[in-house]
Amino acid sequence: MVVDSSLLLPPAVATPVRNGTRRRRIVAPLSCVAILGLIAGVEPTEAAENDTVTVQDAIRRGIEGLDAESFATRQHAALRLIDAATNPDVTPQQRRVVEEQLQLGLDHPSLEVRVQAFRLLQQIDQAAVDAQIRQLLNPKIDPADVDLVGWNAFSELVGDDAASRQFYARLYLGHQRQIEHLIRQQQRGGGVTPVHHAGGSESRYPVANHDLDRWALVLFADSVLDPAASSYPSARLMMSLAYSGVGPCLGNDQDDELVRRLIHQWLLRHRELGSVCDQLRIAMRYRCDSLAVELCHRILTDPHSPATWQTTAILAASVLCTSHAGVAENELEIDSVLASRLADKRTAHVWQLIPSRKIKIRTQVCDVAMAMLLFRHQIDPRSAGFAELQADPTLIYRDDSIGFCNEHEREMAHQQARRRLRENGYDVPPYSRERNEPK
């Protein structure tokens, strides 16, 4: 290909030239032909006059300069090549030619050329990433115009604002290879592949709960890949987040809010994974309140749903109605729900108290409903006979601790609770002890 200098406009910005680790600029503007002339080792005026200078020939000469005996010559050749590959005033086609020739330089007989070509290709790739990062962080750039790998998929999950752009820029710079591999898998429609951490473990997710970037990467991967390809890793993550201490520790800053949004979208993406109760526990743990209200409503409007679901939903609804009194109470009608569950004698949990006493307590749905009636009227259930009660950071009380070792203790506690509620101005609706349990 022959470059016609009459078709090329001089660049508006001078070509940067490095001096050690600093940068200085040539004052006089150079045309693209002049840049190629510098690579070829000729003066700019001579290059501009010589229309027969080809791009490939000029780049080949620059690559051969990487094998010169003089260190200064090798350094100048490297700088000229990197400028020709990253200068915004050079056409994309010409920049591609530089990269193609450097790729060929990886098979050059000279070890020096091979090493320098590899290093220059890395610098060119990094320069492209840096340009994309700058574009991402520019609030005036439309998100659809950002060409950074994975950004479109990420912004669809968490939205496009300054916080999400800053978070993704850091996430990409820290996990570039994993994200690029993930997006390639998504585009090919491939299955889920493990996202390894630095230690090389086969674990699907990291153990460090404070590593928000790693957790964001795992949740991002499980959100964008085809969930039908392999549900086991996501199912294991679902169970860990719902029933263990494993998971990101979130506070109230911008990064925590971004991860919270990501968890919300991850739960929506995996609606068919796990149980409604599992999803509710995660939504409550990470304060995905709107989703938690929806899940509570699904469970509580069906009194025949499993007893364990009922106890979890009663506790969650009580929390939500305390923190979001207006919306949640209108949506969940918690007082009528609690009153209706006082007749539900189904056992939800059986727990053996090993540390203190060798006894078993059984939690029935009616126990949890009565405990939450006391809580809503600012009465400590422990003062009304719920002796084994233990606190829970998410759901107020551990649902498996709201129980009794026999029916006599349960009856005595419920009578005492009714008396305390009446003293507080609330008359518990009567119910028939012979009422059948929900089938």
Side-chain angles (χ1 to χ4, degrees):
M1 178 181 68
V2 178
V3 178
D4 186 352
S5 60
S6 64
L7 301 178
L8 299 174
L9 296 175
V13 182
T15 304
V17 179
R18 289 179 182 168
N19 182 11
T21 58
R22 299 182 179 179
R23 286 179 177 264
R24 57 187 178 84
R25 293 186 178 273
I26 300 174
V27 177
L30 298 178
S31 68
C32 295
V33 173
I35 294 174
L36 296 174
L38 286 175
I39 296 175
V42 299
E43 294 298 324
T45 55
E46 180 183 349
E49 294 172 356
N50 186 5
D51 290 343
T52 62
V53 175
T54 64
V55 176
Q56 291 184 350
D57 288 342
I59 295 170
R60 287 196 193 101
R61 294 182 188 178
I63 292 175
E64 292 300 330
L66 297 176
D67 198 32
E69 293 184 4
S70 169
F71 172 76
T73 303
R74 296 197 302 272
Q75 187 181 43
H76 290 162
L79 291 176
R80 291 163 182 166
L81 286 167
I82 198 72
D83 285 339
T86 60
N87 192 297
D89 301 301
V90 177
T91 65
Q93 182 181 2
Q94 291 168 348
R95 289 199 294 271
R96 283 196 298 271
V97 171
V98 176
E99 294 185 41
E100 290 170 359
Q101 291 300 314
L102 285 172
Q103 288 286 349
L104 294 175
L106 297 176
D107 297 323
H108 196 277
S110 169
L111 175 61
E112 180 71 23
V113 174
R114 296 198 300 271
V115 171
Q116 290 296 329
F118 179 76
R119 182 178 64 84
L120 290 173
L121 285 170
Q122 286 184 317
Q123 292 183 16
I124 292 169
D125 289 342
Q126 188 58 50
V129 171
D130 293 341
Q132 292 164 0
I133 293 292
R134 287 193 298 271
Q135 193 178 36
L136 173 67
L137 296 178
N138 185 348
K140 297 180 181 180
I141 300 295
D142 188 273
D145 295 333
V146 177
D147 195 28
L148 189 62
V149 175
W151 164 247
N152 287 337
F154 189 82
S155 62
E156 288 176 1
L157 293 171
V158 302
D160 172 43
D161 53 28
S164 60
R165 290 189 176 207
Q166 292 172 1
F167 187 92
Y168 189 73
R170 189 182 75 236
L171 184 67
Y172 185 83
L173 290 174
H175 304 282
Q176 178 178 345
R177 292 181 61 186
Q178 292 96 324
I179 291 175
E180 290 175 351
H181 176 70
L182 166 66
I183 298 304
R184 285 197 298 269
Q185 289 289 105
Q186 180 202 29
Q187 292 171 346
R188 289 199 299 262
V192 177
T193 55
V195 180
H196 302 291
H197 54 78
S201 169
E202 295 297 322
S203 175
R204 183 72 176 97
Y205 43 83
V207 176
N209 290 7
H210 63 274
D211 191 349
L212 295 188
D213 288 1
R214 174 61 65 173
W215 277 106
L217 180 63
V218 172
L219 292 164
F220 180 37
D222 268 352
S223 299
V224 301
L225 290 173
D226 182 6
S230 175
S231 62
Y232 171 71
S234 299
R236 187 170 66 174
L237 182 57
M238 177 81 73
M239 296 300 292
S240 296
L241 293 177
Y243 294 101
S244 75
V246 174
C249 294
L250 303 184
N252 295 309
D253 62 17
Q254 285 187 342
D255 288 351
D256 297 325
E257 179 58 30
L258 258 296
V259 177
R260 191 171 287 112
R261 285 190 228 166
L262 202 52
I263 291 173
H264 189 148
Q265 294 300 321
W266 176 77
L267 285 170
L268 293 177
R269 174 75 170 173
H270 296 291
R271 282 183 178 272
E272 304 303 321
L273 192 64
S275 69
V276 179
C277 187
D278 299 335
Q279 297 176 31
L280 176 58
R281 284 183 171 274
I282 298 174
M284 290 299 297
R285 179 180 178 184
Y286 291 105
R287 291 170 21 208
C288 305
D289 293 339
S290 61
L291 179 59
V293 169
E294 176 190 333
L295 295 170
C296 280
H297 188 266
R298 287 176 58 186
I299 295 173
L300 295 178
T301 52
D302 179 12
H304 301 284
S305 59
T308 52
W309 295 17
Q310 288 288 321
T311 57
T312 301
I314 289 171
L315 291 167
S318 300
V319 174
L320 294 168
C321 289
T322 301
S323 57
H324 303 278
V327 177
E329 286 194 7
N330 292 336
E331 180 73 20
L332 299 174
E333 300 178 347
I334 184 63
D335 290 326
S336 62
V337 167
L338 294 178
S340 67
R341 297 306 190 272
L342 292 176
D344 192 341
K345 306 290 287 183
R346 291 179 297 166
T347 297
H349 301 281
V350 178
W351 182 30
Q352 183 170 3
L353 300 177
I354 298 177
S356 55
R357 294 178 291 156
K358 300 290 174 119
I359 63 170
K360 288 183 180 180
I361 65 171
R362 287 174 170 80
T363 299
Q364 296 181 356
V365 176
C366 61
D367 299 333
V368 179
M370 183 62 79
M372 288 300 98
L373 275 175
L374 292 167
F375 173 80
R376 284 183 58 77
H377 287 83
Q378 300 181 350
I379 301 173
D380 186 355
R382 296 178 185 86
S383 67
F386 290 79
E388 307 297 343
L389 205 62
Q390 294 188 6
D392 184 271
T394 303
L395 297 175
I396 308 174
Y397 304 118
R398 286 182 52 179
D399 49 1
D400 56 4
S401 72
I402 311 175
F404 304 92
C405 61
N406 55 61
E407 270 310 303
H408 175 70
E409 287 189 5
R410 175 173 289 107
E411 185 66 24
M412 294 296 294
H414 279 241
Q415 289 179 4
Q416 186 177 358
R418 286 172 177 273
R419 183 171 62 253
R420 293 291 304 276
L421 288 168
R422 281 196 299 269
E423 292 171 355
N424 207 41
Y426 178 78
D427 191 12
V428 180
Y431 67 92
S432 173
R433 295 187 57 183
E434 289 76 23
R435 181 177 174 178
N436 293 330
E437 300 176 3
K439 300 297 182 183

